[in-house]
Amino acid sequence: MTRFGGNSRITGIKYELVVRTYYKSAHVMGTIKVPVNALDKMTDTEHLKITVMQRTIAPVTSSRLFQSTKSASKPTSTFKDVPLSNEAHERQPASLKASGAALATDKSGKAIDIISLSTGRPHPRYYPFESVDFAFTTVNSSSSGNEPSAKTFGKTRTARYDIAEQNAAIDLSVALSYGYSAGSEQLIKFLTEHIEAVHDPPYSDWDCALTVGSTSALDLAIRTLSEPGDGVLVEEYTYSGMIECLKPLNRKIVAVPMNQGGLCPDALDTLLMHWDTTLPKPRLLYTIPTGQNPTGITQNMERRRQIYKVAEKHNLLVLEDDPYGYLRFTEDKLPSYLSLDTSGRVLRFDSTSKTLSPGLRCAWMTGQTSLIQRFLHLHDVSIVSPSGVSQLMMYKLLGEVWGHEGFSSWLRYLRAQYRDRMLIMAKACETYLPEHLCSWDQPEAGMFFWLKIHWDEHAMARSSEKDISNIILAIEDQLYNAALEQGVLCCKGSFFNARDVQSDLYVRLTFVTASESEIVEAIQRFARAVKLVFDQS
Amino acid sequence: MTRFGGNSRITGIKYELVVRTYYKSAHVMGTIKVPVNALDKMTDTEHLKITVMQRTIAPVTSSRLFQSTKSASKPTSTFKDVPLSNEAHERQPASLKASGAALATDKSGKAIDIISLSTGRPHPRYYPFESVDFAFTTVNSSSSGNEPSAKTFGKTRTARYDIAEQNAAIDLSVALSYGYSAGSEQLIKFLTEHIEAVHDPPYSDWDCALTVGSTSALDLAIRTLSEPGDGVLVEEYTYSGMIECLKPLNRKIVAVPMNQGGLCPDALDTLLMHWDTTLPKPRLLYTIPTGQNPTGITQNMERRRQIYKVAEKHNLLVLEDDPYGYLRFTEDKLPSYLSLDTSGRVLRFDSTSKTLSPGLRCAWMTGQTSLIQRFLHLHDVSIVSPSGVSQLMMYKLLGEVWGHEGFSSWLRYLRAQYRDRMLIMAKACETYLPEHLCSWDQPEAGMFFWLKIHWDEHAMARSSEKDISNIILAIEDQLYNAALEQGVLCCKGSFFNARDVQSDLYVRLTFVTASESEIVEAIQRFARAVKLVFDQS
């Protein structure tokens, strides 16, 4: 019998994973040996037993505990030249957590009976929460991605001491305590299996960690992987939150040209080949490969391979932000950057905001173990971990009610729903928008239409004003306000412009919030606004 | 009828609060006028009605909507010289959220019917969560702070569309959506009332905002209020997480001497009076005034007034970190820094980790409105907001099951419980610890005993080694390991040392995690370890 974290009983060792813990004051490096793939052979009941962990104080956890033999036997990552910031270099594991890890075993590796007077972790009897019941929707959708063939409800109850009293996998005494920096072991196990099934990273030493949302994780990534003054490569139109994250942190936003297929690999290569050698060459590429925000573009397989190749050539670390990855309207396979990542240079960000709900504030990131550990050190002195209630809710749904198949069914259902809505908006656009003033491509994933407005048809385009950016921003403003007066709120394209100048006029419209009939009504209103702005011009 | 955020109907206007929203692209400053104290006159049912907000996209909220007339009529803050970092200076409100605020009214102030095609906020029908039931403990404790006279359970159910179907204050369609940067309006209302009752800040323009925990909020505060190279004043022994936050961010840790009453105001004054003028003078003072971590010291009223006076003299901004403020074992009044803060130079951090449960990851901070707004801008590109499920759980408990009186009862119950445990540890220490090797003061608040170990009784103190720090660290290490071998995990005092050198040897012990009988057993084990280490020396 081997013990990990003081609580889990795991039998059937095949591999050992060495989880390093640093004891700050003594500068001693301790190791805890835990079996990697022992879980494979377990029955469901055994699984529930062994995931009972963390009864006392915070130990470590890792995806590598839950990887399959196949994953664990792949070659290790080769990308070692991670562009760490000074801040990240200086960061050590939190002393209190590291001291907690000492609980596991004595010097001979034997589990010891320890009473902790160490961290100020209130006893669960002092949580005023007795139990939590969740009721979930469950869909059985056909593989063709149509409406679900059946929609049912699943229910779960979690009480304070379910682990002790019912041998459950999790309970409130665990979920409401201080958690692991990587997130709850129960969820990490589910997500590790999920990542293997969906992405199957080509190297063995990868890990995933839960975060309080991709927006936060990206902020932490910029702090960890770049210095003030460094350039970060982004698509020329990109998530406004990333622009607003980078600017105050004094990172130089380097816009990479896009075409109808998304970010242009040749342009990226050219840009880096002719980089001004007096400036630090960018090491980070931020890309949204599927249903890109705001353009709606999905990079095809060939495009992804080409971009990855340029990343290899110029030694880039790729931040793959893929919240819309599950929202593709077609069923054909499309590899993520993580799944193409033979060297270990991709840090992938997955969100639950678009698939489960934004209020969970629970996302996960996946990448090289050595890189993920940098984030865990930062978590200890910042976000600590996502809400235990959110993690509980997610685990109960994914791990106990749905399972992997149920999660897939849900995603197929969502895709079908969003495709229908997208088609409604597409038809409304074709029917109502003036053809000579607006053009667009129908998205094959995500949430957005990216309308190009032919600003050069506007009278102001023929004004004496020399600065095209000013003209475009003025017309954009007119259009935004006219739309609001007609009763539709749209998103200005300039919010997403990573360049300093405006050369085109775009409007971003989503089809996921309004009801189907409202979508049609809203496009009619928007069409009236376009006509008003251009007719009166 | 006035509308705020597109949804709340508030009658009975007395004051108007101007909430400024900046529209990034057009650089227009809009204002939304909302009544400040209209809520005072409402019945409970009306209150439930008006707190139904945020049906579409993210507007703004503020404590000032919920302040009493008394609070709102106080003078405004006078401290305007906030030490903002470059990062904070550059930060603007998130463009998408600002554009959402436009929903409220048309130019004439009239509410308009708007369909949003703006932000990618999934429709609540696409959340797979049907309902959440919480069961809570409720205590009716006597004011003497003894065991509760009655312990009952409260239950609540929250379903997806309770607002529409039952006129409820909150439901899953709101709680699981993207939230306000300041946190849910329902909780902000409760906390505003709570802050008025407990702290009654002496100025009017204060606000509170929810965060994902004080550890995160403090990290954001350091980023917002200081630059790399700046000094931050801290107690000479302080929260290890703060030390580990400051070091990698390249902030200079300036340790302020303490005595048995806590941080010394004279020493603080002297230190700043004789500050080396070639270095930037510190502007931030971080203090844990009650049941200080790790020393357990509570600053008395006079000490607080003196320290605040020095802060005024040297124009400091005070970061008041008070997670143990509710855990005082006596009932006499003790003002917080926030309640002494006539000028508006205090930023107070409250935690739920020690009173409700750490897994909520939900805390709040209170300070000048203009300062809190800086954090909201940072939230938009980092944590976004705390978990909606945690906020829901907290609101249901505090706002609907307990109310203010029930919360007070719970805190009295906790205090009584912790006092009992503290007394058990005190008695065990007196009984078992060798008097000539250990000394301590009995804490009057919080979670910790801070044991001074008389290291000079150890043989190593008479060794030829010149560096006292090394000697102390070596004895500390011996003691820590001996304790672990005896079966008790304690916390090394050196983790909390803000100075570069060790001149004393301390051990921190908590009485909140172990059971009562374990506490006694653990102290016996620790006493054996002390004797072994010193006898063998």
Side-chain angles (χ1 to χ4, degrees):
Chain A
M1 188 199 289
T2 305
R3 287 173 72 100
F4 170 64
N7 292 286
S8 77
R9 291 169 187 79
I10 306 184
T11 52
I13 298 172
K14 264 196 190 165
Y15 290 85
E16 282 184 334
L17 168 72
V18 177
V19 181
R20 289 189 174 77
T21 57
Y22 298 86
Y23 302 90
K24 181 194 164 199
S25 67
H27 302 292
V28 170
M29 193 176 77
T31 60
I32 302 172
K33 293 179 179 180
V34 281
V36 168
N37 67 336
L39 300 171
D40 291 351
K41 303 193 267 171
M42 306 239 160
T43 66
D44 265 355
T45 328
E46 280 172 323
H47 152 215
L48 288 180
K49 274 183 206 157
I50 62 133
T51 54
V52 175
M53 303 207 170
Q54 198 190 6
R55 287 222 182 103
T56 50
I57 59 172
V60 289
T61 188
S62 163
S63 283
R64 305 189 67 192
L65 299 171
F66 307 113
Q67 280 182 351
S68 67
T69 318
K70 186 172 149 260
S71 266
S73 59
K74 287 182 182 175
T76 56
S77 60
T78 54
F79 176 69
K80 294 299 164 205
D81 182 22
V82 175
L84 283 187
S85 64
N86 294 333
E87 178 186 335
H89 264 298
E90 292 302 316
R91 221 171 267 295
Q92 297 289 323
S95 49
L96 293 182
K97 289 216 170 179
S99 82
L103 263 195
T105 52
D106 68 9
K107 282 170 185 165
S108 68
K110 213 179 123 240
I112 39 180
D113 154 46
I114 295 275
I115 302 171
S116 172
L117 303 181
S118 177
T119 54
R121 176 185 290 261
H123 193 283
R125 82 168 63 152
Y126 300 124
Y127 307 157
F129 307 111
E130 295 295 325
S131 66
V132 181
D133 294 18
F134 298 115
F136 305 104
T137 310
T138 298
V139 297
N140 299 313
S141 63
S142 67
S143 60
S144 69
N146 288 326
E147 278 289 313
S149 52
K151 197 164 169 173
T152 57
F153 300 103
K155 283 188 183 180
T156 66
R157 159 157 299 194
T158 311
R160 200 185 307 236
Y161 296 120
D162 283 356
I163 292 172
E165 290 165 6
Q166 299 171 31
N167 219 0
I170 195 166
D171 62 18
L172 293 187
S173 80
V174 165
L176 291 176
S177 185
Y178 288 106
Y180 294 9
S181 320
S184 91
E185 194 135 32
Q186 294 80 3
L187 259 181
I188 293 288
K189 176 177 184 297
F190 182 90
L191 292 174
T192 302
E193 294 162 355
H194 175 80
I195 291 161
E196 280 196 347
V198 176
H199 305 287
D200 195 19
Y203 62 96
S204 60
D205 52 328
W206 57 269
D207 241 294
C208 79
L210 286 152
T211 78
V212 300
S214 290
T215 299
S216 165
L218 286 164
D219 172 60
L220 301 186
I222 297 303
R223 285 171 68 177
T224 300
L225 301 168
S226 67
E227 284 292 320
D230 282 354
V232 177
L233 298 153
V234 302
E235 280 132 352
E236 62 181 325
Y237 289 99
T238 190
Y239 171 43
S240 57
M242 178 47 87
I243 296 173
E244 288 160 0
C245 163
L246 292 171
K247 277 187 180 168
L249 293 175
N250 195 22
R251 267 58 166 183
K252 197 173 147 56
I253 299 172
V254 185
V256 184
M258 304 172 79
N259 61 16
Q260 284 191 317
L263 187 146
C264 298
D266 293 345
L268 177 64
D269 187 33
T270 306
L271 197 156
L272 292 169
M273 293 255 284
H274 299 100
W275 190 259
D276 177 351
T277 51
T278 62
L279 297 172
K281 198 173 161 183
R283 294 293 312 280
L284 296 180
L285 169 64
Y286 171 73
T287 182
I288 308 164
T290 318
Q292 203 251 2
N293 186 2
T295 65
I297 295 171
T298 299
Q299 298 165 1
N300 68 21
M301 195 185 299
E302 185 53 23
R303 181 65 62 108
R304 291 171 191 227
R305 289 191 198 284
Q306 288 165 344
I307 292 170
Y308 186 78
K309 207 172 150 190
V310 178
E312 290 266 71
K313 179 177 170 187
H314 294 283
N315 201 20
L316 302 178
L317 195 155
V318 180
L319 305 175
E320 177 182 35
D321 186 14
D322 203 15
Y324 314 106
Y326 293 114
L327 301 178
R328 285 180 64 229
F329 310 134
T330 54
E331 285 282 336
D332 57 298
K333 272 276 201 186
L334 191 55
S336 64
Y337 281 94
L338 179 62
S339 65
L340 296 173
D341 187 20
T342 43
S343 49
R345 61 174 67 252
V346 173
L347 190 56
R348 180 181 161 84
F349 299 85
D350 273 286
S351 171
T352 60
S353 293
K354 311 305 186 187
T355 54
L356 300 177
S357 66
L360 288 176
R361 306 311 311 141
C362 211
W364 67 93
M365 54 186 175
T366 315
Q368 256 195 55
T369 297
S370 65
L371 191 48
I372 294 293
Q373 280 176 344
R374 300 286 175 171
F375 285 85
L376 301 188
H377 303 167
L378 180 48
H379 283 186
D380 288 340
V381 290
S382 59
I383 62 160
V384 181
S385 63
S387 155
V389 202
S390 289
Q391 292 192 64
L392 175 68
M393 195 164 178
M394 219 173 123
Y395 171 72
K396 284 284 176 178
L397 177 61
L398 298 175
E400 296 190 358
V401 173
W402 278 356
H404 293 286
E405 185 45 47
F407 188 27
S408 293
S409 290
W410 177 257
L411 295 173
R412 277 197 300 272
Y413 161 71
L414 270 194
R415 279 201 292 262
Q417 291 282 310
Y418 284 147
R419 187 192 53 215
D420 290 352
R421 288 165 154 265
M422 182 276 291
L423 290 172
I424 288 167
M425 186 174 273
K427 198 174 164 208
C429 287
E430 274 166 38
T431 310
Y432 301 109
L433 292 182
E435 220 176 308
H436 67 294
L437 296 176
C438 309
S439 54
W440 64 92
D441 286 325
Q442 187 172 303
E444 57 178 274
M447 302 191 150
F448 306 114
F449 271 73
W450 185 237
L451 285 188
K452 186 169 190 165
I453 309 292
H454 305 166
W455 63 273
D456 46 348
E457 299 288 329
H458 196 280
M460 282 174 74
R462 295 177 295 276
S463 77
S464 57
E465 161 77 52
K466 293 266 166 57
D467 188 332
I468 287 180
S469 289
N470 283 346
I471 296 173
I472 291 175
L473 286 173
I475 302 172
E476 182 183 55
D477 228 44
Q478 277 190 10
L479 182 56
Y480 174 83
N481 288 321
L484 210 53
E485 275 166 32
Q486 291 298 320
V488 58
L489 183 73
C490 58
C491 229
K492 291 180 177 181
S494 61
F495 287 171
F496 307 94
N497 188 354
R499 297 165 308 162
D500 294 327
V501 294
Q502 306 286 334
S503 52
D504 289 298
L505 174 51
Y506 286 100
V507 170
R508 193 195 73 173
L509 304 177
T510 180
F511 45 84
V512 303
T513 310
S515 70
E516 286 85 340
S517 62
E518 281 175 335
I519 289 173
V520 178
E521 170 64 27
I523 295 295
Q524 287 179 290
R525 292 178 185 183
F526 185 76
R528 281 202 297 274
V530 172
K531 285 171 196 157
L532 277 168
V533 165
F534 279 80
D535 287 354
Q536 287 170 1
S537 81
Chain B
M1 189 200 286
T2 306
R3 289 174 70 99
F4 170 66
N7 292 288
S8 75
R9 289 168 189 80
I10 307 184
T11 53
I13 297 171
K14 265 196 192 165
Y15 290 87
E16 282 185 333
L17 168 71
V18 177
V19 181
R20 290 190 174 77
T21 56
Y22 297 85
Y23 302 92
K24 181 196 167 201
S25 68
H27 303 293
V28 171
M29 193 176 76
T31 60
I32 302 171
K33 293 177 178 180
V34 281
V36 167
N37 68 337
L39 299 172
D40 291 351
K41 303 193 269 172
M42 306 237 161
T43 66
D44 264 354
T45 328
E46 280 172 325
H47 151 215
L48 289 179
K49 273 182 205 158
I50 64 131
T51 55
V52 175
M53 302 207 169
Q54 201 191 0
R55 288 223 181 104
T56 51
I57 59 172
V60 290
T61 189
S62 165
S63 283
R64 305 191 67 195
L65 298 171
F66 307 113
Q67 279 181 351
S68 68
T69 317
K70 185 171 151 264
S71 266
S73 59
K74 287 182 180 173
T76 56
S77 61
T78 54
F79 176 69
K80 294 300 166 203
D81 183 22
V82 174
L84 282 187
S85 64
N86 294 332
E87 177 185 336
H89 264 299
E90 293 301 317
R91 223 172 265 294
Q92 298 289 321
S95 50
L96 291 182
K97 289 217 172 181
S99 83
L103 263 194
T105 52
D106 67 10
K107 281 167 187 165
S108 68
K110 210 178 123 244
I112 40 178
D113 153 44
I114 296 273
I115 302 170
S116 172
L117 303 181
S118 179
T119 53
R121 177 185 288 264
H123 193 284
R125 83 169 60 153
Y126 301 124
Y127 307 158
F129 307 111
E130 295 296 325
S131 66
V132 181
D133 293 16
F134 297 116
F136 305 105
T137 310
T138 297
V139 297
N140 298 314
S141 64
S142 66
S143 60
S144 67
N146 288 325
E147 276 290 313
S149 55
K151 197 164 170 175
T152 57
F153 300 104
K155 284 188 183 181
T156 67
R157 160 158 296 194
T158 312
R160 199 186 308 235
Y161 296 119
D162 283 355
I163 292 172
E165 290 166 7
Q166 299 172 31
N167 219 3
I170 196 166
D171 64 16
L172 293 187
S173 80
V174 165
L176 292 176
S177 186
Y178 287 105
Y180 295 8
S181 321
S184 92
E185 194 134 29
Q186 294 81 4
L187 259 181
I188 292 289
K189 177 177 183 297
F190 182 90
L191 293 174
T192 302
E193 295 160 357
H194 175 80
I195 291 161
E196 280 196 348
V198 176
H199 305 287
D200 195 19
Y203 63 96
S204 61
D205 53 325
W206 56 269
D207 242 293
C208 79
L210 287 152
T211 77
V212 299
S214 290
T215 300
S216 165
L218 286 163
D219 172 61
L220 301 187
I222 297 304
R223 285 172 67 178
T224 299
L225 301 167
S226 67
E227 284 291 321
D230 282 354
V232 177
L233 298 152
V234 302
E235 281 132 349
E236 63 180 324
Y237 290 99
T238 190
Y239 171 45
S240 57
M242 179 47 89
I243 296 174
E244 288 160 1
C245 164
L246 291 171
K247 277 188 180 166
L249 293 175
N250 194 23
R251 267 60 165 182
K252 196 174 147 56
I253 298 172
V254 185
V256 183
M258 305 172 79
N259 62 16
Q260 284 191 317
L263 187 145
C264 296
D266 293 346
L268 177 64
D269 187 33
T270 307
L271 196 157
L272 292 170
M273 294 255 283
H274 300 100
W275 189 259
D276 177 350
T277 51
T278 62
L279 298 172
K281 197 172 160 182
R283 295 293 314 281
L284 296 180
L285 169 64
Y286 171 74
T287 182
I288 308 164
T290 318
Q292 203 250 3
N293 185 3
T295 65
I297 295 171
T298 299
Q299 298 165 1
N300 69 19
M301 196 185 300
E302 185 53 24
R303 181 64 62 107
R304 290 170 193 229
R305 289 191 199 284
Q306 288 166 344
I307 292 169
Y308 186 78
K309 210 171 148 188
V310 179
E312 290 268 69
K313 179 176 171 188
H314 294 283
N315 201 21
L316 301 178
L317 195 154
V318 181
L319 305 175
E320 177 182 34
D321 186 14
D322 203 16
Y324 316 105
Y326 294 113
L327 301 179
R328 286 181 62 230
F329 309 134
T330 55
E331 285 282 334
D332 57 301
K333 270 276 200 186
L334 191 56
S336 64
Y337 281 94
L338 179 62
S339 66
L340 297 173
D341 188 21
T342 44
S343 49
R345 61 175 67 254
V346 173
L347 190 55
R348 179 181 161 85
F349 299 85
D350 274 286
S351 171
T352 60
S353 293
K354 312 303 187 189
T355 54
L356 300 178
S357 64
L360 287 176
R361 306 311 312 141
C362 210
W364 67 93
M365 54 186 176
T366 315
Q368 256 194 57
T369 298
S370 65
L371 191 48
I372 294 293
Q373 280 178 344
R374 301 286 176 172
F375 286 84
L376 302 188
H377 302 168
L378 180 48
H379 284 186
D380 287 340
V381 291
S382 59
I383 61 158
V384 181
S385 63
S387 155
V389 202
S390 289
Q391 292 192 66
L392 176 68
M393 196 163 178
M394 220 173 124
Y395 171 73
K396 284 283 175 180
L397 176 62
L398 297 175
E400 297 191 357
V401 173
W402 278 355
H404 293 287
E405 186 43 49
F407 188 27
S408 293
S409 291
W410 175 257
L411 295 174
R412 278 198 300 273
Y413 162 70
L414 269 194
R415 279 202 292 262
Q417 291 283 310
Y418 284 148
R419 189 193 52 217
D420 290 351
R421 289 166 154 265
M422 181 275 291
L423 291 171
I424 288 167
M425 186 175 273
K427 198 174 164 208
C429 287
E430 275 165 39
T431 311
Y432 301 109
L433 292 183
E435 224 176 305
H436 67 294
L437 296 176
C438 309
S439 54
W440 64 92
D441 286 324
Q442 189 171 301
E444 56 177 274
M447 302 190 150
F448 306 115
F449 271 73
W450 184 235
L451 286 188
K452 185 169 188 164
I453 309 293
H454 305 167
W455 63 274
D456 45 348
E457 300 287 329
H458 195 282
M460 282 175 73
R462 296 179 293 277
S463 76
S464 58
E465 161 77 52
K466 293 266 166 57
D467 188 332
I468 287 180
S469 290
N470 282 347
I471 295 173
I472 292 175
L473 287 174
I475 301 172
E476 182 183 54
D477 227 46
Q478 276 189 9
L479 182 56
Y480 174 83
N481 287 321
L484 209 54
E485 274 165 32
Q486 291 297 321
V488 58
L489 183 72
C490 59
C491 230
K492 292 180 177 181
S494 61
F495 286 170
F496 306 95
N497 189 355
R499 297 166 307 164
D500 293 329
V501 295
Q502 307 286 334
S503 52
D504 288 299
L505 175 51
Y506 287 100
V507 171
R508 193 194 74 172
L509 304 178
T510 180
F511 45 84
V512 304
T513 309
S515 71
E516 287 86 338
S517 61
E518 282 175 336
I519 289 173
V520 178
E521 170 65 26
I523 295 297
Q524 287 179 290
R525 292 179 185 182
F526 184 76
R528 280 202 297 274
V530 173
K531 285 171 197 156
L532 276 169
V533 165
F534 279 81
D535 287 354
Q536 288 170 2
S537 82

